[in-house]
Amino acid sequence: MTHVIHSLLETDLYKFTMWQTMLHRHPQTQAEYSFLCRNETVFPLAELLHEVEREIDHLCSLSFSLGELAYLKGLRFIKSDFVDFLRLFRFQREFISVSAEGQDLRIVASGPQVHVMGFEIFVLAIVNELYFRRFDQSAARTEGRRRLQHKIAQLRAFGDEPPRAHPFEVFDFGVRRRFSGDWHREVVATLKRELPQYFKGTSNVLLARDLDLVPIGTMAHEYLQSYQATGVRLRDHQKAALEDWVQEYRGDLGVALTDVVGMDAFLADFDLYFAKLFDGLRHDSGDPYVWGEKALAHYAKLRIDAHTKRLVFSDGLDVPAALALYRHYADRTQLGFGIGTNLSNDMGLTPLHIVMKLTLCNGQPVAKLSDSPGKTMCDDQTFLAYLRQVFNIVPV
């Protein structure tokens, strides 16, 4: 069997951007990330135990090549000392454990955050590919190509609609739940070739390099969650995280994630200072229409022209949902649409709903209180209650 991961570039761009910030701002932070599957599977994931261990052993043997480092150094927001760190970097096998608990697969990465935060996307890609290798590959790819052509046809038909104030732009966000690495590459290459007017980039840094696409991404939940345990007041953790981001990137990578403690609590911290410094906001939970209207109302209240800002939608999107949101907002603000699973794993098979989330930081629990029920991942009910109290959040 060929290995799942062949390059340390084959991860989401935001892993590198968060990694650089934490290396510069909080290099001493200790963290723990835990794997969870949220849906039923055709066979127990525990059956993959030995294969997953083999793939993680292989992952820990990889290092960045000179060509990969040169590509990262060519991104204007990546700093030379971070590239020097990556030149020496290897994943340490002692920082990640894999075991079976009954029929469940348990994977925990624990250690210095700058040494364990990168495991997440690779672990998810490994588990996904090993799981789907047990299905009929030919039938799945045939169905996947049929569905991909249907998406392309939908977007071509959309091209007949009257133009709006702002263009439709879609990105691939599909690394973590893809059917396989080679299928992911085929999908992205096909979209670049067939829909250059709409398809504007990918979060997969390796594919961005190889296919001459724009790498897309800024920050994920783990970045803001980490600040719940870095020594600032819990009430101030979002403002501290956003301030460090501004200082690190000074105008680059200006899309902020809003749902670590919910949109209302985020907007309470996203004052005129941040609203002017950040280019836009990313939606990842809750009703996207409610979220978008709140964002536009916030900009209006601050007397900021929404046409100069961008709303990025990335929560479980497919093409029809993205187009519907575009029609609703395209005459009022700039937009972007990140589609993940529905691009990289729409094969007629039920995708895995797997995550590997930050659960502890510096020995303290951290949590996301998203705007969607069921997305919270924290076993410490006392901390969750305290977090809700601090931000005046009513449990859903």
Side-chain angles (χ1 to χ4, degrees), residues 148-222:
L148 180 59
Q149 287 304 313
H150 179 65
K151 295 179 179 70
I152 291 169
Q154 286 178 307
L155 288 170
R156 284 181 175 153
F158 159 75
D160 294 332
E161 296 183 13
R164 302 294 189 98
H166 298 285
F168 179 81
E169 296 184 348
V170 65
F171 323 115
D172 158 60
F173 282 4
V175 184
R176 66 185 59 221
R177 293 178 185 152
R178 66 191 187 186
F179 179 78
S180 70
D182 62 339
W183 172 250
H184 192 199
R185 182 177 290 266
E186 179 178 335
V187 168
V188 173
T190 301
L191 291 171
K192 181 192 176 183
R193 182 182 67 249
E194 300 291 336
L195 295 168
Q197 70 274 42
Y198 303 129
F199 186 66
K200 298 301 181 181
T202 175
S203 65
N204 185 325
V205 182
L206 181 67
L207 293 185
R209 184 198 69 168
D210 291 354
L211 300 175
D212 192 25
L213 288 162
V214 177
I216 303 291
T218 56
M219 65 182 74
H221 299 98
E222 66 179 289

Side-chain angles (χ1 to χ4, degrees), residues 383-395:
F383 177 72
L384 284 174
Y386 177 51
L387 188 60
R388 290 189 179 103
Q389 181 183 24
V390 166
F391 287 96
N392 298 313
I393 296 169
V394 178

